[in-house]
Amino acid sequence: MRNCETCPAPIIELDINHLMSDMLGEKHGLNRSQIDKHSDAAVKAFENIQANRGSGWLGWMQLHINQDDVVEDILLTADSIRKDFKTFVLLGIGGSALGPIAVHQALNHLHFNELSDEKRKSPRFYVEDNVDPERMQALLDVIDLRTTCFNIITKSGATAETMSQYLIVSEALKKEIGKGWQKHIIATTDKEKGNLIKLAKKEGFKTFYIPSTVGGRFSQLSPVGLLAAAVCGIDIRSMLGGASCMDQTCCSSDIWKNPALLEAVVQFVLMQEMGINIHVMMPYADSLKYMADWFSQLWAESLGKNITRKGVPINVGQTPVKALGVTDQHSQLQLYTEGPFDKVITFLKVEKFRSKTVIPHGCEEFEDVAFLGGKSHNELIEAERIGTEYALLRAGRMSQTITLPVVNAHTIGQLIYFFELVTAYTGELLDIDAFNQPGVEESKIASYAVLGNTAEKYQKKQDEMTDSPSEKEQYIL
Ligand code: PA5
């Protein structure tokens, strides 16, 4: 296991052996020359990203550098939330929720909310990232508004799902608390744009800002993710330190010295030259389960684009698929080993788990059970990952492994920054805008039109939708 070059922290590692023709053979594997031929493009991608870091949509590259005051404020606020409240609820969607969910799962106890108050030492934590009416009701059934703090997160300050949640909880708080209900709300949003900042100013909510240069899916290391993490007792300075180490590790324009750049070039070659258009993210650790969800949004929303930056039609992007090892060996693996040759599997491996579960001896009369005795779940989960990697190799299927020495705030900070860099470099190689999401906007406008929003653009959309071909009875059974 390698350490960071600037501090003693162990660093996560990318292993692409199981993608290469040296192991997979010429027919299904990747040649080093297929990677090397993109070295000039990689240098250009690296230099473009470096030259613009901190500006445009690359503000996320500076979050581990320029947030000292913000971190101070977050830690003070988190301390008072921990003292004053028993429950902390995050209301947001997409990039305003997936990072906090992934970090909560990775770094908090896996049954955090069920721990006793003494053991948990923090408020119970919920993230509500949908508008399913049963889910909202279920939340209200289990929380006590008098001891609950809500963090409303929306970068645009306008997202209907989040603003509808705001309307529901603010109304409920006004009824239950009356005077002083505003102390139960923290707003995280853009400093100037959107409705939430206006509301925050009017009501006097404590507010954190998402820098204008940081897009939703790149915002985990901003107050979007840091406040919830700090409230739960996660060492947010260490998480930012991890991002800083990854920044250092990826400071070369040489593909073979910069793991994020190597990964970007590899994925570029896989999707553009080898027809590998599905990317399965398969952590072998429950703690990393929602990292796959966070990655899926980052990868899908950033790279799924239909034109280049020059407006040339392109229709690119790998479809991300979430899987969990070993659980999904028993549901999806059959397809991965024998289905179409259109997938790459990324394993997230944990070198040292935070617990050890020893399997007792027993069932000596059954050889297939008895052999497990004296081993541990730690050994079993890794043996199963190796077994899956081998089965894929035998079947000529590509896989790669990212190893976390241990799951802690530092390595999670590294992992987040690593994937953000990979995504940004890949966007450069594809020559697309990795930071917009016009395809999402279309669905937003259409749904507001359906709900009867009277603003002009929604009215126009309503007319357009009325003109679209009508559904036929014969196709509905
Ligand atoms: O990555 C993105 O920009 C999106 O997924 C947004 O995070 C999502 O649409 C929510 O937007 P907002 O934070 O403005 O409510």
Side-chain angles (χ1 to χ4, degrees):
M1 192 55 56
R2 280 178 310 127
N3 286 340
C4 170
E5 281 172 20
T6 52
C7 78
I11 200 102
I12 63 173
E13 207 167 71
L14 168 71
D15 178 350
I16 61 163
N17 267 293
H18 285 245
L19 299 175
M20 305 303 291
S21 55
D22 314 53
M23 291 197 74
L24 270 178
E26 287 298 322
K27 189 164 176 213
H28 298 299
L30 185 61
N31 278 313
R32 193 177 157 126
S33 61
Q34 284 177 278
I35 300 175
D36 285 334
K37 79 169 190 238
H38 294 288
S39 57
D40 289 348
V43 170
K44 212 168 135 212
F46 174 84
E47 285 174 352
N48 277 350
I49 295 290
Q50 277 300 332
N52 293 303
R53 64 182 292 153
S55 63
W57 285 109
L58 296 176
W60 52 271
M61 295 183 79
Q62 300 295 97
L63 293 172
H64 56 281
I65 296 166
N66 65 9
Q67 286 196 109
D68 286 353
D69 293 347
V70 179
V71 167
E72 278 298 319
D73 191 5
I74 286 175
L75 291 173
L76 285 174
T77 308
D79 266 356
S80 61
I81 294 169
R82 288 155 70 86
K83 272 192 218 100
D84 298 343
F85 296 100
K86 291 203 163 121
T87 307
F88 186 69
V89 178
L90 190 159
L91 304 176
I93 197 164
S96 294
L98 289 162
I101 294 171
V103 167
H104 169 57
Q105 177 82 4
L107 299 177
N108 290 328
H109 190 282
L110 288 173
H111 291 293
F112 188 72
N113 285 348
E114 288 97 279
L115 288 174
S116 65
D117 290 352
E118 297 75 53
K119 282 194 178 154
R120 192 176 350 94
K121 298 188 183 76
S122 317
R124 286 184 300 158
F125 179 51
Y126 298 93
V127 182
E128 298 300 315
D129 66 344
N130 203 355
V131 288
D132 178 327
E134 292 177 14
R135 181 156 160 195
M136 193 41 126
Q137 188 53 52
L139 175 78
L140 295 171
D141 287 345
V142 297
I143 62 173
D144 178 348
L145 289 168
R146 288 164 304 177
T147 54
T148 300
C149 176
F150 294 91
N151 185 194
I152 323 287
I153 308 185
T154 163
K155 156 100 179 164
S156 61
T159 300
E161 294 86 346
T162 309
M163 294 315 289
S164 72
Q165 290 173 322
Y166 166 77
L167 286 168
I168 293 166
V169 302
S170 57
E171 178 72 7
L173 284 169
K174 281 177 206 164
K175 272 201 192 124
E176 183 74 26
I177 318 275
K179 197 165 175 290
W181 66 274
Q182 294 93 336
K183 289 198 171 52
H184 292 247
I185 290 193
I186 296 178
T188 305
T189 188
D190 189 273
K191 201 169 186 169
E192 282 154 15
K193 290 190 202 138
N195 301 320
L196 186 59
I197 188 63
K198 292 185 196 126
L199 277 166
K201 283 183 182 154
K202 178 175 157 238
E203 302 290 0
F205 300 143
K206 167 75 189 160
T207 306
F208 287 100
Y209 302 120
I210 309 169
S212 57
T213 51
V214 176
R217 54 192 176 273
F218 289 83
S219 67
Q220 168 53 29
L221 299 176
S222 79
V224 168
L226 295 182
L227 179 63
V231 168
C232 295
I234 292 167
D235 183 349
I236 59 171
R237 286 206 173 98
S238 178
M239 197 150 73
L240 292 167
S244 183
C245 283
M246 188 48 67
D247 196 9
Q248 289 297 321
T249 303
C250 299
C251 67
S252 170
S253 62
D254 179 340
I255 303 173
W256 298 101
K257 292 192 179 133
N258 176 341
L261 194 56
L262 172 63
E263 173 65 356
V265 172
V266 163
Q267 296 309 322
F268 173 79
V269 174
L270 296 194
M271 64 180 110
Q272 293 304 84
E273 295 169 19
M274 299 178 82
I276 304 289
N277 283 317
I278 299 178
H279 194 133
V280 180
M281 183 56 63
M282 191 166 189
Y284 270 70
D286 274 53
S287 62
L288 300 177
K289 179 175 176 177
Y290 294 117
M291 276 293 158
D293 289 52
W294 172 81
F295 166 81
S296 292
Q297 186 212 9
L298 185 70
W299 204 237
E301 222 168 69
S302 304
L303 304 183
K305 299 289 154 68
N306 64 3
I307 47 167
T308 66
R309 284 182 289 204
K310 295 179 199 79
V312 179
I314 183 170
N315 297 106
V316 282
Q318 264 176 343
T319 304
V321 174
K322 306 172 267 188
L324 178 67
V326 303
T327 307
D328 287 316
Q329 284 179 210
H330 297 268
S331 80
Q332 302 174 16
L333 187 58
Q334 173 61 32
L335 172 70
Y336 300 161
T337 51
E338 295 190 5
F341 286 85
D342 56 1
K343 300 171 198 67
V344 55
I345 323 291
T346 297
F347 298 121
L348 297 182
K349 167 185 162 182
V350 176
E351 185 87 15
K352 194 169 187 304
F353 283 84
R354 290 162 290 190
S355 306
K356 184 165 183 181
T357 309
V358 175
I359 306 166
H361 290 280
C363 299
E364 304 300 342
E365 64 278 37
F366 307 115
E367 209 182 310
D368 282 355
V369 181
F371 87 100
L372 293 167
K375 304 217 166 45
S376 64
H377 272 176
N378 308 55
E379 291 169 278
L380 184 56
I381 198 166
E382 176 55 3
E384 298 220 31
R385 192 197 63 78
I386 293 171
T388 302
E389 184 181 61
Y390 180 71
L392 289 166
L393 180 76
R394 283 275 319 251
R397 274 30 184 219
M398 291 182 155
S399 72
Q400 57 174 2
T401 299
I402 296 171
T403 303
L404 285 79
V406 61
V407 177
N408 61 27
H410 200 273
T411 56
I412 290 300
Q414 293 175 34
L415 191 66
I416 288 168
Y417 197 78
F418 171 78
F419 281 130
E420 289 175 342
L421 267 185
V422 174
T423 306
Y425 292 147
T426 311
E428 284 294 315
L429 292 166
L430 290 165
D431 191 22
I432 54 163
D433 183 344
F435 302 98
N436 66 2
Q437 53 281 326
V440 180
E441 296 306 319
E442 173 68 19
S443 109
K444 268 191 199 173
I445 296 171
S447 53
Y448 295 1
V450 171
L451 260 188
N453 190 314
T454 52
E456 200 190 331
K457 68 175 169 180
Y458 305 119
Q459 287 297 305
K460 271 197 191 148
K461 188 57 66 181
Q462 229 175 39
D463 298 342
E464 183 191 303
M465 288 169 85
T466 318
D467 286 347
S468 58
S470 42
E471 292 176 357
K472 292 187 175 141
E473 282 294 330
Q474 72 197 59
Y475 298 132
I476 305 172
L477 302 183

